[in-house]
Amino acid sequence: MKAAVVSLLAASVILVPRPALAADCALTFGSTASYATQDNPRDVTSADLDLDGDLDLIAANLESASVSVVLDGGTAVNYAVGANPYMVVAGDVNGDAAPDLVVGDFGGGAISVLLNEGDGTFADQVQYAVGDRPRAVALGDVDEDGTVDITGIVQGLNALVVLPGNGDGTFGTGSFFTTGASPHGITLGDFNSDGHLDAATASSSSGGMVVHLGDGTGDFTTTTAYAGATKLYSITNADLNGDGVLDVAAISQSAGVVDLYLGNADDSGDGDGTFAAALTSPIATGAVAVTSADLYGDGTADVLVSNFTVNTLTWITVGTDNAVTSTDITTGSSPYAVTAGDLTGDGTTDLAVADSGSDTVEVLTGTCA
């Protein structure tokens, strides 16, 4: 059975429907372009910001309090946000069909919203105070009123925050829900197939993940903790093994493993909101971010891990028998995040990497060998 479809806009899961690649395609990636950002890009995502049918790139620059926007392979335009932005997501928060930007300002105690002017340029940021060290953000209609809400992780408060959307690009007062100790990441999905968005958060101090079941009102008080590696830094969800049930992947920054929590199904084959004990797969010590993307267009997602200390990505696949395989992809200096999409318009998935050591976003073009 297919996982339930709910209103979700998030950078961490890229499952854009497109024709599958040829059955004999052996996908490889090579560096073909690089775009200058400002200081220390820590996140990257893609969206069609100028509505021309092509994906554009956005990077969050930790040391410059800015985001860099690259339209159609041009020179980056930089926009001010709060101090130490760690994560940026793109989604339409005011209903005009143009993707806006939402940023977690780790050092500024706020979440910044930049509204798209409709052409890929952005109005000045509006900040929403949420407390000490907001690190990760995600977008989705968690209260089911037809407008996009912001969810985020506030590390210093050990909390998940929900900022309810008003539909016009503004947001209401935040509600807070307890997470594990020192949370670092958040991902949204309908894990128990009830039509409501749920959340999973990664804990860097207590280790493991916490699943927060949503009830469709914006409430996430029903939680279950799952054991896992220490210092989990980043988290994503998608159907990783092709059984139609959402799974979760989280990476440890210190233990050198990715934890793969495979979702359990009910008697109908739908996700029941619980997860098996984590499978572990080795990655480089010092990995800092994880995302999931359907690289082959076959309906099953792959996992991509950014290995900051060794200048690689680890590409992980989970088979229908739950066997885990991995391949390393060479990147530029100190890769901190990766996003996937057809950046060249040729029907093949490409990757964009935030190379924090060189203050660039690097494009790795996908090719069928």
Side-chain angles (χ1 to χ4, degrees), residues 66-82:
S66 69
V67 292
S68 296
V69 173
V70 179
L71 298 178
D72 302 321
T75 300
V77 177
N78 302 305
Y79 296 89
V81 295

Side-chain angles (χ1 to χ4, degrees), residues 66-154:
S66 69
V67 292
S68 296
V69 173
V70 179
L71 298 178
D72 302 321
T75 300
V77 177
N78 302 305
Y79 296 89
V81 295
N84 305 126
Y86 242 105
M87 186 173 185
V88 58
V89 295
D92 179 14
V93 301
N94 62 351
D96 65 355
D100 309 298
L101 303 180
V102 176
V103 185
D105 299 328
F106 185 75
I111 291 173
S112 294
V113 177
L114 295 84
L115 296 181
N116 195 326
E117 302 282 13
D119 58 0
T121 63
F122 291 86
D124 291 343
Q125 64 169 325
V126 175
Q127 291 190 333
Y128 295 86
V130 293
D132 184 25
R133 288 172 286 161
R135 193 180 190 282
V137 288
L139 301 179
D141 183 9
V142 299
D143 58 10
E144 298 176 15
D145 64 353
T147 64
V148 175
D149 310 304
I150 298 172
T151 60
I153 284 300
V154 187

Side-chain angles (χ1 to χ4, degrees), residues 246-307:
L246 291 177
D247 311 301
V248 174
I251 56 101
S252 169
Q253 195 266 345
S254 60
V257 298
V258 57
D259 283 340
L260 301 170
Y261 300 91
L262 300 182
N264 295 317
D266 60 20
D267 291 340
S268 299
D270 298 317
D272 66 5
T274 68
F275 295 84
L279 297 175
T280 60
S281 181
I283 53 176
T285 302
V288 288
V290 64
T291 192
S292 48
D294 183 3
L295 300 183
Y296 275 98
D298 59 3
T300 300
D302 308 282
V303 174
L304 294 165
V305 177
S306 300
N307 299 312

